[in-house]
Amino acid sequence: MGRAGALTEAEKRAIWGWRAEGLKLSDIATRADRSRNAVKRFLDQPDATPGYVGNQNARKFTGPAQTRVFNKLRAAPRSPLKALTMQVNTGRSQRKPVSRETVRRNMADDLSFRRAIVRQPLSRENRLRRVAFAMQNLNKIEEHRKVIFTDEKKFNLDGPDGYSGQWVRTGEFPDRVRRHTGGGSVMFWMAISSAGKMALLKTPARITSENYVAMLESSRVATIFGETHPEGWTFMQDNAPAHAAWNTKSFFAREGWHVMDWPAYSPDLNPVENVWSIMSRRIYAGNRQYESLSELEAEIIEVWASITNAEVRSLLTGWNARLHRCVNKEGANVQNF
């Protein structure tokens, strides 16, 4: 379900970038979180200022209809508008069906998805480095296909790290049960590439250089990717202490790995974050909480198996557009996960 309102300049630039990459209209709409019609109107008439004046006398939801939509959103926060409209029209066989526009309008009036905005503490120097990095890698589509992207993430029993949002009625605030003892958590490391999924491995709670190197060796990502890219490839990692340690750098030099010079405070530029986001939504669907770490780990593995290589590849095709946004925004954060 796409958001309402006029497209921002940043959104317009992103849409043009995705269009230039050859993405389908439906894929662009999904990435922009806008309706397909809104994206099409902009691409057909980029200089137009679309406006919509609805029926000012249109009726509001009845109580039961609003409750059905609310319950559906709490169980599945990203339910499409079509599914929500079906929920509203449940039991209305003898009455005129409610339209999608009526559902959209009532949701805008009565419901909201509240969550904290997460931004990295970017100094002027950080932003300049991010722009330099983006410019260095911009429009090098063939080179992008030779990159292994990696990242670690912690999953908690009570919800994803930084959880602070859910659908609520206007005026209400998110309510979340937290264990008195804090529950528990597990860490996983992921690797993806233009080939799709490469590896998902559980890591120790505290990652050291030694166990990081051991994990890289056991993952066999170099062997697997090297077979399809004998001419050379690049390894992407962030600047975590274990990644930047002398022992880790020695391993890369000894094995001949070419490591990307990644800018600090830049998780928003890493496409792996999008995969983590998809997994988190599925793992914690319906605000689910877990009773044990073994139950949580089993669900993580199951969700990872459900993600297709095609999904991963579609996320990677948007990396160039993300670099464009970084340059256009002068190194500012380009996306909140």
Side-chain angles (χ1 to χ4, degrees), residues 33 62 68 72 150 168 192 321-322 330 334:
D33 193 19
T62 61
R68 285 195 293 272
K72 178 72 173 178
T150 70
V168 295
I192 62 174
R322 192 173 304 186
E330 299 178 349
V334 298

Side-chain angles (χ1 to χ4, degrees), residues 3 7-35 39 42-43 139 141 268 274 313-326 328 334-335:
R3 294 177 290 108
L7 294 172
T8 65
E9 291 303 313
E11 287 176 320
K12 291 177 181 179
R13 287 193 294 268
I15 289 172
W16 276 122
W18 290 323
R19 192 60 163 177
E21 292 178 17
L23 266 65
K24 296 187 297 184
L25 202 58
S26 57
D27 293 335
I28 295 175
T30 299
R31 291 193 180 186
D33 193 19
R34 294 286 188 169
S35 69
V39 173
F42 167 66
L43 291 174
N139 298 326
I141 307 301
D268 57 321
N274 294 79
R313 286 194 293 267
S314 70
L315 293 173
L316 288 173
T317 58
W319 195 51
N320 199 58
R322 192 173 304 186
L323 296 176
H324 269 291
R325 291 201 299 277
C326 181
N328 291 338
V334 298
Q335 187 170 346

Side-chain angles (χ1 to χ4, degrees), residues 39 72 74 158 287:
V39 173
K72 178 72 173 178
R74 291 296 292 270
D158 289 335
N287 296 327

Side-chain angles (χ1 to χ4, degrees), residues 84-111:
L84 295 173
T85 305
M86 291 176 63
Q87 287 291 105
V88 174
N89 287 318
T90 300
R92 295 178 59 90
S93 56
Q94 304 302 319
R95 302 170 63 187
K96 183 179 178 180
V98 172
S99 70
R100 294 190 193 185
E101 188 56 44
T102 296
V103 174
R104 187 197 303 276
R105 186 184 63 253
N106 277 267
M107 285 179 60
D109 291 342
D110 300 322
L111 300 173

